[in-house]
Amino acid sequence: QVPYQPSSPRQVANTLALLRGRAGKTVDLGSGDGRLVLEAYKQGLRPALGFELNPWLLCLANYRAWRAGYHGKISFLKKDLWKVNLSDCHNVIVFLAPSVKPPLATKLLAELPDDARVVAGRYPFPSWSPSSTLGQGLDQVWAYDIKEVRR
């Protein structure tokens, strides 16, 4: 269980700045109210989808997508991130608790393609060296290029 904390506007901006110029399927693991997925889609990262288990947050995310005119263009799925296959994902957004990071790192390294980039917010992956970072304090985000992490 990971408590819901909405991303600040600065966290969203920093996350998307580290994904600027990239292409391919973009997923947010634990997408909450959908704000990161919505912004990713707006900035041309497609397809964009979120995985979230909380039904209220899924409802809110789908409402926000509908309100933005993206109904049917963005997907929010009630799926356990541990049970989804991420092998076709090129951009992964992770704003999850530190306790989740070590087992998630193992899953990401096993499934993601070499050209994938993972952007973590709030807490870095403890055993990975970031390719780049942006922001300070709570607004800091870390980007990890999987090919580099595997080296």
Side-chain angles (χ1 to χ4, degrees):
Q1 291 288 22
V2 178
Y4 168 65
Q5 295 177 293
S7 304
S8 71
R10 177 56 41 207
Q11 287 171 331
V12 173
N14 289 345
T15 299
L16 273 298
L18 291 180
L19 292 174
R20 192 165 293 127
R22 294 187 53 82
K25 184 176 183 179
T26 302
V27 298
D28 185 1
L29 303 177
S31 55
D33 64 9
R35 64 185 68 198
L36 285 158
V37 176
L38 280 165
E39 195 57 37
Y41 184 85
K42 281 183 196 172
Q43 294 194 21
L45 291 165
R46 297 176 185 159
L49 67 146
F51 296 115
E52 176 59 57
L53 288 176
N54 182 315
W56 299 106
L57 292 172
L58 272 171
C59 193
L60 179 56
N62 280 306
Y63 171 73
R64 292 179 66 154
W66 171 80
R67 218 168 138 203
Y70 301 144
H71 178 73
K73 297 176 183 174
I74 298 176
S75 299
F76 294 102
L77 306 172
K78 185 176 183 180
K79 289 194 174 179
D80 184 334
L81 68 88
W82 302 107
K83 296 176 182 169
V84 296
N85 183 332
L86 302 171
S87 63
D88 63 343
C89 299
H90 298 276
N91 305 296
V92 178
I93 300 168
V94 182
F95 274 64
L96 295 171
S99 61
V100 178
K101 294 286 173 62
L104 184 58
T106 302
K107 176 180 174 60
L108 295 173
L109 285 172
E111 295 180 15
L112 291 177
D114 266 353
D115 66 345
R117 173 171 272 197
V118 176
V119 178
R122 292 202 186 92
Y123 309 102
F125 280 88
S127 61
W128 291 3
S129 295
S131 307
S132 55
T133 183
L134 191 60
Q136 304 279 331
L138 290 176
D139 293 327
Q140 187 171 9
V141 294
W142 297 263
Y144 304 92
D145 293 319
I146 292 299
K147 190 173 188 175
E148 297 300 316
V149 173
R150 286 185 175 130
R151 281 191 185 154

Short mmCIF file of all heavy atoms in Angstrom, two decimals, residues 2-8 11 28 30-33 35-36 52 57 95-98 121-123 138:
data_model
loop_
_atom_site.label_atom_id
_atom_site.label_comp_id
_atom_site.label_asym_id
_atom_site.label_seq_id
_atom_site.Cartn_x
_atom_site.Cartn_y
_atom_site.Cartn_z
N VAL A 2 0.58 2.16 -0.89
CA VAL A 2 1.33 3.40 -0.98
C VAL A 2 0.33 4.55 -0.82
O VAL A 2 -0.67 4.61 -1.53
CB VAL A 2 2.05 3.51 -2.35
CG1 VAL A 2 2.78 4.83 -2.47
CG2 VAL A 2 3.02 2.35 -2.52
N PRO A 3 0.56 5.44 0.14
CA PRO A 3 -0.39 6.54 0.34
C PRO A 3 -0.40 7.49 -0.86
O PRO A 3 0.63 7.72 -1.49
CB PRO A 3 0.13 7.25 1.59
CG PRO A 3 1.57 6.88 1.68
CD PRO A 3 1.70 5.52 1.04
N TYR A 4 -1.59 8.02 -1.14
CA TYR A 4 -1.74 8.95 -2.26
C TYR A 4 -1.28 10.34 -1.85
O TYR A 4 -1.72 10.87 -0.84
CB TYR A 4 -3.20 8.99 -2.71
CG TYR A 4 -3.51 10.13 -3.65
CD1 TYR A 4 -2.94 10.17 -4.91
CD2 TYR A 4 -4.36 11.15 -3.28
CE1 TYR A 4 -3.21 11.21 -5.78
CE2 TYR A 4 -4.65 12.19 -4.15
CZ TYR A 4 -4.07 12.22 -5.39
OH TYR A 4 -4.34 13.24 -6.24
N GLN A 5 -0.37 10.89 -2.62
CA GLN A 5 0.07 12.26 -2.47
C GLN A 5 0.10 12.86 -3.86
O GLN A 5 0.91 12.43 -4.69
CB GLN A 5 1.47 12.34 -1.86
CG GLN A 5 1.58 11.83 -0.44
CD GLN A 5 3.02 11.88 0.03
OE1 GLN A 5 3.86 11.14 -0.47
NE2 GLN A 5 3.31 12.74 0.97
N PRO A 6 -0.77 13.83 -4.15
CA PRO A 6 -0.77 14.40 -5.50
C PRO A 6 0.55 15.11 -5.81
O PRO A 6 1.16 15.71 -4.93
CB PRO A 6 -1.94 15.39 -5.49
CG PRO A 6 -2.27 15.62 -4.07
CD PRO A 6 -1.76 14.45 -3.28
N SER A 7 0.99 14.99 -7.04
CA SER A 7 2.21 15.66 -7.48
C SER A 7 1.96 17.16 -7.57
O SER A 7 0.91 17.60 -8.03
CB SER A 7 2.62 15.15 -8.87
OG SER A 7 2.78 13.76 -8.84
N SER A 8 2.96 17.92 -7.16
CA SER A 8 2.86 19.38 -7.25
C SER A 8 3.06 19.80 -8.72
O SER A 8 3.64 19.05 -9.51
CB SER A 8 3.94 20.03 -6.38
OG SER A 8 5.22 19.85 -6.97
N GLN A 11 6.67 19.36 -9.58
CA GLN A 11 7.06 17.96 -9.79
C GLN A 11 6.63 17.49 -11.17
O GLN A 11 7.39 16.79 -11.85
CB GLN A 11 6.43 17.06 -8.72
CG GLN A 11 7.06 17.20 -7.35
CD GLN A 11 6.27 16.46 -6.28
OE1 GLN A 11 5.06 16.28 -6.38
NE2 GLN A 11 6.97 16.01 -5.25
N ASP A 28 2.57 5.54 -16.04
CA ASP A 28 2.75 6.02 -14.68
C ASP A 28 2.31 4.89 -13.77
O ASP A 28 1.14 4.47 -13.82
CB ASP A 28 1.92 7.28 -14.46
CG ASP A 28 2.14 7.92 -13.08
OD1 ASP A 28 2.97 7.39 -12.29
OD2 ASP A 28 1.48 8.93 -12.80
N GLY A 30 1.14 3.68 -10.47
CA GLY A 30 0.51 4.32 -9.33
C GLY A 30 0.13 5.73 -9.73
O GLY A 30 0.61 6.71 -9.19
N SER A 31 -0.75 5.83 -10.74
CA SER A 31 -1.01 7.10 -11.41
C SER A 31 -1.91 8.07 -10.66
O SER A 31 -2.11 9.19 -11.10
CB SER A 31 -1.57 6.84 -12.81
OG SER A 31 -2.71 6.02 -12.75
N GLY A 32 -2.46 7.66 -9.53
CA GLY A 32 -3.23 8.59 -8.71
C GLY A 32 -4.36 9.24 -9.48
O GLY A 32 -5.15 8.57 -10.15
N ASP A 33 -4.42 10.57 -9.42
CA ASP A 33 -5.49 11.31 -10.09
C ASP A 33 -5.22 11.56 -11.57
O ASP A 33 -5.99 12.22 -12.25
CB ASP A 33 -5.77 12.63 -9.37
CG ASP A 33 -4.60 13.61 -9.41
OD1 ASP A 33 -3.62 13.37 -10.13
OD2 ASP A 33 -4.68 14.63 -8.71
N ARG A 35 -2.72 13.21 -13.18
CA ARG A 35 -2.14 14.48 -13.67
C ARG A 35 -0.86 14.29 -14.49
O ARG A 35 -0.64 15.00 -15.45
CB ARG A 35 -1.95 15.49 -12.54
CG ARG A 35 -0.98 15.08 -11.48
CD ARG A 35 -0.94 16.08 -10.32
NE ARG A 35 -2.20 16.04 -9.61
CZ ARG A 35 -2.62 16.98 -8.79
NH1 ARG A 35 -1.88 18.04 -8.57
NH2 ARG A 35 -3.77 16.87 -8.18
N LEU A 36 -0.01 13.32 -14.11
CA LEU A 36 1.22 13.09 -14.87
C LEU A 36 0.94 12.48 -16.23
O LEU A 36 1.56 12.83 -17.23
CB LEU A 36 2.19 12.22 -14.07
CG LEU A 36 2.89 12.95 -12.92
CD1 LEU A 36 3.39 11.97 -11.87
CD2 LEU A 36 4.03 13.79 -13.45
N GLU A 52 -3.41 2.12 -11.62
CA GLU A 52 -3.82 2.57 -10.29
C GLU A 52 -4.80 1.57 -9.72
O GLU A 52 -5.66 1.08 -10.44
CB GLU A 52 -4.47 3.97 -10.41
CG GLU A 52 -5.02 4.53 -9.13
CD GLU A 52 -3.98 4.69 -8.04
OE1 GLU A 52 -2.96 5.38 -8.26
OE2 GLU A 52 -4.18 4.09 -6.96
N LEU A 57 -9.51 7.10 -7.14
CA LEU A 57 -8.53 7.83 -7.93
C LEU A 57 -8.66 7.51 -9.41
O LEU A 57 -8.49 8.39 -10.26
CB LEU A 57 -7.11 7.53 -7.43
CG LEU A 57 -6.79 8.09 -6.04
CD1 LEU A 57 -5.44 7.58 -5.55
CD2 LEU A 57 -6.83 9.60 -6.05
N PHE A 95 6.23 7.57 -8.85
CA PHE A 95 6.18 8.38 -7.64
C PHE A 95 5.68 7.46 -6.54
O PHE A 95 4.52 7.51 -6.15
CB PHE A 95 5.19 9.55 -7.82
CG PHE A 95 5.80 10.78 -8.45
CD1 PHE A 95 6.28 10.75 -9.74
CD2 PHE A 95 5.88 11.96 -7.75
CE1 PHE A 95 6.83 11.87 -10.33
CE2 PHE A 95 6.43 13.11 -8.33
CZ PHE A 95 6.90 13.05 -9.62
N LEU A 96 6.55 6.57 -6.08
CA LEU A 96 6.16 5.58 -5.08
C LEU A 96 7.09 5.65 -3.87
O LEU A 96 8.18 6.20 -3.95
CB LEU A 96 6.16 4.18 -5.70
CG LEU A 96 5.14 3.93 -6.81
CD1 LEU A 96 5.40 2.59 -7.49
CD2 LEU A 96 3.72 4.00 -6.28
N ALA A 97 6.66 5.03 -2.78
CA ALA A 97 7.40 5.06 -1.52
C ALA A 97 8.75 4.36 -1.63
O ALA A 97 8.93 3.45 -2.45
CB ALA A 97 6.55 4.40 -0.43
N PRO A 98 9.70 4.76 -0.77
CA PRO A 98 11.03 4.14 -0.80
C PRO A 98 11.01 2.62 -0.62
O PRO A 98 11.83 1.93 -1.22
CB PRO A 98 11.77 4.81 0.37
CG PRO A 98 11.03 6.06 0.64
CD PRO A 98 9.61 5.83 0.22
N GLY A 121 10.02 10.30 -8.85
CA GLY A 121 9.75 11.52 -8.09
C GLY A 121 9.72 11.23 -6.61
O GLY A 121 9.43 10.11 -6.19
N ARG A 122 10.03 12.26 -5.81
CA ARG A 122 10.06 12.20 -4.35
C ARG A 122 11.21 11.41 -3.78
O ARG A 122 11.89 11.85 -2.88
CB ARG A 122 8.75 11.69 -3.77
CG ARG A 122 7.61 12.65 -3.97
CD ARG A 122 6.48 12.42 -2.98
NE ARG A 122 5.38 13.28 -3.35
CZ ARG A 122 4.40 12.92 -4.15
NH1 ARG A 122 4.36 11.71 -4.64
NH2 ARG A 122 3.45 13.78 -4.46
N TYR A 123 11.41 10.18 -4.28
CA TYR A 123 12.48 9.32 -3.75
C TYR A 123 13.23 8.67 -4.92
O TYR A 123 12.60 8.10 -5.79
CB TYR A 123 11.91 8.22 -2.86
CG TYR A 123 10.98 8.74 -1.78
CD1 TYR A 123 9.60 8.62 -1.93
CD2 TYR A 123 11.48 9.34 -0.64
CE1 TYR A 123 8.74 9.11 -0.96
CE2 TYR A 123 10.62 9.82 0.34
CZ TYR A 123 9.26 9.70 0.18
OH TYR A 123 8.41 10.18 1.14
N LEU A 138 11.50 18.50 -2.26
CA LEU A 138 10.36 17.66 -2.64
C LEU A 138 10.07 17.68 -4.13
O LEU A 138 9.39 16.80 -4.64
CB LEU A 138 9.10 18.09 -1.88
CG LEU A 138 9.08 17.78 -0.39
CD1 LEU A 138 7.82 18.34 0.25
CD2 LEU A 138 9.17 16.28 -0.14
#
